[in-house]
DNA sequence: GTCTATAGCTTGATAGAC
DNA sequence: GTCTATCAAGCTATAGAC
């Protein structure tokens, strides 16, 4: 009997061959990125995915769990990639320390590259991260949980590269970096309008060329103005 | 007859003397900042304000109009203050041009000062701005509408201060600045945890000391690496 | 794994009394 | 200006057939 061949009916579940779970994740990623967690209903998602409403509960447990599943899905791969690049940069500089530009780049390039050329799923994912990072409700939970281990390693390497710089300066510098980076991912098109079309928020290659020099110079300025004033005080 | 004295009954409308419209705005500001537009119901807001549900429609027309009213309320005052500071900095430097630090400061200080010491309403407002700025749904509409006139002036002064710098570099630098600034306003507490308590996201004075040097150095680095390569190219 | 059907609530908005 | 009462529509979640 024929077993490998799927029968070609026109009912809902066979209109696309891809399994429902992945299609739900993709649709949820896109819609959550656009409108946020509360701005999207489970029905919006399952309609967009072309699957039944009940499958969200079946595969994920509920809407909230779906949201965290979306957030989690790409985080692991991403962080492995960034960690590898960071350690590569560190090894390449031995017995010295890497430049600040190289460190910042290891932190941001894998993200910018995926967002630019990884496909629409990745683009949505980073827009979602941008919103979560700036949300008092979700940021402290999700960002901390999924990205802080990598960030700690990143900051440790930064401190090796700036041995005389007080730790606070590195932490504040990191906050400025992540703010600049995540707003970039939001791609709101605001810079397009402001610049009269001269800059495009979708042009992540331009961001890649500029972010590391900008941030590295910022770190140096912070450290320069502080390391002398460290011991004692006025 | 007595006309100035209000009768002291204990029904809902006189439990607080303040008019309902303002109390709705305050409650909406706080809740929208925490959970976003869709994360808050009209009832959440009126319950928190201690007024009746129907008053949102009566005073604002609907939920959406309330949201934009909240966003609009403090924008005007804020921008007037920033513009005044910007022009003051410019005049003080004549016949020369102001430092980048002074320009960035005129842009960010009025915001940081209000958020730090303006009271809880201002704090919520800036957290709301942080979310809106990073939202693909709301950012392009609300940020552009309420803040872009000032931003254009800010960028014009920046260009005066960096006459040899290509315009693109200023626009990208501005995007990094606004990203860093708005994430600061979100006060998610993430830097607190990362730094083990060494830095506090509520410590906006520390941000004030560091943001201008960081960003000014970033602008200089962008311009330095680009202005030579401006004409021609390989 | 997928679908139908439905339960039980909450939503935004408003008509009309005061 | 404020409140009561109510509406129709939408929401998440689930029990049970297939």
């Amino acid at each position: 009997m024929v077993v490998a061949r799927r029968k070609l009916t026109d009912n809902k579940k066979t209109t696309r061959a891809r399994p429902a779970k992945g299609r739900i994740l993709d649709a949820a990623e896109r819609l959550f990125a656009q409108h946020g967690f509360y701005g999207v209903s489970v029905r919006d998602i399952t309609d967009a995915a072309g699957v039944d409403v009940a499958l969200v509960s079946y595969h994920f447990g509920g809407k909230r769990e779906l949201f965290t599943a979306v957030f989690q899905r790409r985080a692991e791969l991403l962080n492995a990639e960034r960690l590898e690049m960071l350690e590569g940069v560190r090894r390449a500089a031995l017995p010295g320390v890497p430049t600040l530009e190289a460190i910042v780049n290891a932190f941001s390039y894998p993200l910018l590259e995926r967002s630019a050329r990884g496909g629409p799923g990745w683009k949505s994912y980073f827009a979602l991260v941008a919103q979560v990072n700036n949300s008092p409700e979700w940021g402290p939970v999700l960002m901390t949980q999924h990205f802080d281990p990598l960030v700690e390693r990143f900051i440790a390497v930064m401190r090796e590269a700036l041995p005389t710089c007080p730790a606070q300066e590195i932490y504040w510098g990191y906050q400025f970096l992540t703010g600049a980076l995540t707003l970039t991912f939001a791609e709101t098109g605001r810079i397009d309008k402001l610049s009269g079309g001269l800059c495009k928020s979708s042009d992540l290659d331009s961001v890649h060329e500029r972010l590391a020099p900008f941030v590295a110079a910022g770190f140096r300025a912070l450290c320069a103005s502080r390391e002398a004033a460290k011991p004692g005080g006025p």
Side-chain angles (χ1 to χ4, degrees), chain A:
Chain A
M1 68 183 161
V2 182
V3 61
R5 181 76 118 218
R6 208 201 236 291
K7 205 158 133 227
L8 289 173
T9 62
D10 57 347
N11 56 356
K12 204 193 276 179
K13 80 169 181 177
T14 53
T15 45
R16 304 299 274 134
R18 218 157 111 255
K21 192 168 178 178
R23 309 185 61 200
I24 292 173
L25 281 168
D26 290 345
E29 186 170 62
R30 184 169 62 81
L31 291 170
F32 283 145
Q34 229 149 47
H35 310 291
F37 177 76
Y38 300 108
V40 177
S41 74
V42 174
R43 286 181 137 79
D44 291 337
I45 294 166
T46 52
D47 286 357
V51 304
D52 193 89
V53 225
L55 295 185
V56 166
S57 293
Y58 177 77
H59 285 293
F60 301 96
K63 187 188 179 184
R64 209 156 202 107
E65 291 88 340
L66 170 59
F67 188 69
T68 66
V70 165
F71 200 83
Q72 189 154 25
R73 176 164 61 150
R74 304 190 195 265
E76 211 169 316
L77 168 61
L78 224 39
N79 287 338
E81 206 170 289
R82 298 162 87 192
L83 187 60
E84 193 185 4
M85 191 165 170
L86 184 63
E87 300 301 345
V89 156
R90 214 174 77 92
R91 272 195 310 273
L94 286 175
V97 293
T99 63
L100 299 186
E101 282 82 353
I103 300 171
V104 172
N105 211 47
F107 187 76
S108 60
Y109 175 74
L111 311 182
L112 291 166
E113 179 59 26
R114 294 272 184 187
S115 186
R117 277 171 287 277
W122 282 99
K123 181 136 300 207
S124 291
Y125 181 73
F126 290 115
L128 180 63
V129 170
Q131 289 195 68
V132 167
N133 196 35
N134 284 267
S135 154
E137 186 178 3
W138 302 99
V141 189
L142 292 180
M143 293 302 291
T144 297
Q145 196 172 328
H146 292 97
F147 291 109
D148 274 8
L150 178 83
V151 172
E152 281 169 19
R153 183 70 193 123
F154 167 74
I155 286 174
V157 176
M158 267 293 190
R159 296 194 62 183
E160 285 178 12
L162 288 166
T164 64
C165 183
Q168 289 105 309
E169 310 309 315
I170 312 274
Y171 287 112
W172 285 118
Y174 166 73
Q175 171 162 294
F176 298 154
L177 162 58
T178 186
L181 188 59
T182 51
L183 178 62
T184 291
F185 291 140
E187 292 193 25
T188 61
R190 209 181 150 212
I191 196 177
D192 306 42
K193 194 173 284 185
L194 268 172
S195 69
L198 199 61
C199 303
K200 298 196 192 317
S201 60
S202 60
D203 176 15
L204 301 186
D205 292 332
S206 286
V207 174
H208 171 234
E209 289 171 26
R210 290 164 175 85
L211 186 67
F214 186 97
V215 169
F219 269 101
R220 286 190 192 101
L222 282 193
C223 297
S225 67
R226 299 281 155 178
E227 63 191 348
K230 198 185 176 184

